Amino acid sequence: MTQRKGEKTTISIQEHMAIDVCPGPIQPIKQISDYFPRYPRGFPPTAPPVLSRAGSLRSSTTTTSQKSEGPTAEPNRDEEDPDQAFGAAALVSGKKEEEADVEGYDSDDSTTLGTLDFSLLYDQENNALHCTINKAKGLKPMDHNGLSDPYVKLHLLPGASKANKLRTKTLRNTLNPVWSETLTYYGITDEDMVRKTLRISVCDEDKFRHNEFIGETRIPLKKLKPNQTKNFSNCLEKQLPIDKTENKSLEERGRIMISLKYSSQKCGLVVGIIRCAHLAAMDANGFSDPYVKTYLKPDENKKSKHKTTVKKKTLNPEFNEEFFYDIKYADLSKKTLEVTVWDYDIGKSNDFIGGVSLGINANGERLKHWFDCLKNKDKKIERWHTLTNELPGSGYND
């Protein structure tokens, strides 16, 4: 291309881009393996050739003669290649990683799920188990933003169901949530403290799909001492299998507090329906409209039925109602008290929530409650009992 005298030099866009992109010879691109060399087990690691900034390979074990204008001088450490120093440091870390592998370290250890701090208190006098969920640390990220929306839910095993599930509020976008929230189970008996296990699960809430499980921990309640708070800081574990041999017909549907008293003056049995707790939700709104019925069986004349009022939209109703059965003291040993809880529905049959039987043919706390009533005349004895989905008696509906 000829250029006339006095004409300004022009450069095409192609030439301009070529000058900006290719100012000199193409340099080789470093690989990640240059910084983190790995060697087969059993071989002693030797310093690898390090790639210099000029693109040539130099061995870290070779030595070069240093020329100086005057007496022998130390090499300038400021001019030492940083890539070489980094590669040497990588050797040490690589060796440590190999040693850890030999010990069988599992990178998917349960500690990667996080830890949970909580405390438990069994209030024996009020038959209550207080579970204070304090905080969690280092939870596993479950969302695309590298965070989670965690909440905690509780179940009592065996017999886990929606009726005995409690949960905390959800905290948004955090891996170190602080709840400081107390959840309480009512109607916990000494028998429950011996045979029950508290399952504490941490989950991630998702608005548009199923909530995701993060980790859990389980505490046998027999580890707790009455009226003493015990603090825990447990590593979360992967989901443990639930015992499939558990009798599904005895699914828990809530708790009920019943009082019994035989009145010598009136010559009859006074049955008190005090309250229920943690009832199963039977309606679409997540609640029930519960009421309680009682029968004293066998009931030849079918006159022993009593019914409480209906409590609207609640899973923890308080009734405080008493019913009187005219019966001789000697006949009580032949009778069975059947208590059932129902959900009231308009325009269709009522739903059975749960029931319990007290009498000579019962066992555990139900038998003990009946015997205590027989041994202590004119004394009101209150006890919590577990409702199951097994309908007491057979062949009768609401």
Side-chain angles (χ1 to χ4, degrees):
M1 177 177 148
T2 59
Q3 181 179 355
R4 296 180 182 177
K5 188 176 181 180
E7 239 183 11
K8 195 174 182 180
T9 305
T10 59
I11 302 175
S12 66
I13 186 64
Q14 290 83 0
E15 292 174 320
H16 177 74
M17 294 300 294
I19 291 173
D20 285 349
V21 174
C22 304
I26 298 176
Q27 306 235 354
I29 301 174
K30 290 186 174 70
Q31 303 294 323
I32 191 65
S33 58
D34 293 333
Y35 295 104
F36 297 96
R38 301 182 75 88
Y39 303 95
R41 295 186 183 180
F43 289 89
T46 57
V50 181
L51 191 63
S52 67
R53 293 189 184 275
S56 62
L57 292 175
R58 295 188 291 111
S59 174
S60 61
T61 58
T62 59
T63 59
T64 59
S65 60
Q66 299 285 341
K67 289 186 178 181
S68 61
E69 296 178 356
T72 305
E74 293 183 2
N76 189 355
R77 294 187 179 180
D78 295 335
E79 296 178 359
E80 184 180 357
D81 192 348
D83 291 341
Q84 184 174 357
F86 191 86
L91 284 176
V92 179
S93 62
K95 184 176 180 181
K96 290 182 179 179
E97 288 178 4
E98 292 293 334
E99 292 175 353
D101 288 339
V102 172
E103 294 175 0
Y105 174 79
D106 183 9
S107 62
D108 194 22
D109 191 65
S110 60
T111 54
T112 60
L113 302 177
T115 59
L116 182 66
D117 293 349
F118 59 97
S119 63
L120 301 177
L121 170 63
Y122 173 48
D123 184 353
Q124 190 176 33
E125 183 179 353
N126 296 311
N127 295 104
L129 176 64
H130 303 288
C131 312
T132 301
I133 308 299
N134 297 318
K135 61 182 179 179
K137 293 182 290 186
L139 293 180
K140 180 180 178 181
M142 304 299 289
D143 297 336
H144 296 299
N145 60 3
L147 300 173
S148 294
D149 302 321
Y151 67 92
V152 177
K153 63 179 180 179
L154 310 180
H155 283 103
L156 284 175
L157 304 176
S161 65
K162 292 183 179 180
N164 64 32
K165 182 185 79 171
L166 301 178
R167 62 163 287 175
T168 66
K169 59 188 177 184
T170 300
L171 300 182
R172 301 291 177 185
N173 297 323
T174 178
L175 299 179
N176 300 285
V178 179
W179 289 282
S180 299
E181 192 171 340
T182 299
L183 307 174
T184 301
Y185 279 107
Y186 294 99
I188 301 298
T189 63
D190 291 340
E191 183 182 3
D192 292 328
M193 296 301 294
V194 173
R195 67 183 186 91
K196 291 284 187 179
T197 295
L198 179 66
R199 178 191 182 194
I200 306 178
S201 306
V202 182
C203 300
D204 170 59
E205 183 177 289
D206 286 318
K207 291 184 178 180
F208 304 107
R209 54 180 180 175
H210 292 296
N211 297 341
E212 296 179 289
F213 175 85
I214 298 178
E216 70 171 41
T217 184
R218 299 187 184 186
I219 305 296
L221 297 185
K222 61 185 178 182
K223 288 186 176 182
L224 304 180
K225 295 182 179 179
N227 306 315
Q228 292 185 18
T229 301
K230 188 168 183 178
N231 297 311
F232 297 86
S233 183
N234 290 9
C235 291
L236 297 176
E237 303 177 79
K238 296 178 182 179
Q239 193 162 16
L240 301 174
I242 297 178
D243 186 7
K244 295 183 179 180
T245 61
E246 182 182 329
N247 191 351
K248 296 298 182 181
S249 66
L250 297 180
E251 177 188 336
E252 291 187 8
R253 295 294 188 88
R255 308 288 174 115
I256 184 170
M257 178 181 276
I258 302 172
S259 68
L260 298 178
K261 184 182 78 170
Y262 185 81
S263 174
S264 301
Q265 184 177 3
K266 297 181 179 180
C267 295
L269 177 67
V270 181
V271 177
I273 305 299
I274 301 173
R275 59 181 295 196
C276 294
H278 315 299
L279 292 180
M282 307 302 289
D283 297 336
N285 59 8
F287 293 96
S288 293
D289 301 319
Y291 67 94
V292 180
K293 294 192 303 177
T294 64
Y295 292 86
L296 194 60
K297 300 283 187 84
D299 183 18
E300 297 176 357
N301 299 323
K302 296 184 179 181
K303 295 181 179 180
S304 68
K305 175 182 174 181
H306 289 285
K307 184 188 297 186
T308 68
T309 57
V310 176
K311 302 296 181 179
K312 293 289 186 179
K313 200 177 179 181
T314 178
L315 301 179
N316 300 281
E318 293 193 14
F319 299 99
N320 295 313
E321 299 183 35
E322 290 186 341
F323 307 117
F324 179 76
Y325 289 100
D326 187 4
I327 185 174
K328 296 179 180 179
Y329 177 77
D331 294 338
L332 279 179
S333 59
K334 305 173 186 177
K335 296 289 185 177
T336 298
L337 178 67
E338 294 181 354
V339 181
T340 55
V341 183
W342 299 80
D343 169 52
Y344 178 75
D345 287 320
I346 299 176
K348 59 179 182 178
S349 59
N350 299 329
D351 299 318
F352 173 70
I353 296 179
V356 63
S357 296
L358 286 74
I360 197 68
N361 296 320
N363 51 40
E365 288 288 331
R366 297 168 295 171
L367 178 62
K368 188 174 184 296
H369 193 184
W370 192 256
F371 270 137
D372 288 345
C373 172
L374 297 180
K375 290 189 296 182
N376 300 278
K377 291 182 180 181
D378 301 312
K379 181 180 179 181
K380 181 186 290 187
I381 299 175
E382 298 179 353
R383 296 281 168 78
W384 282 96
H385 296 283
T386 301
L387 297 169
T388 67
N389 62 341
E390 192 174 47
L391 189 66
S394 58
Y396 79 94
N397 296 319
D398 182 36

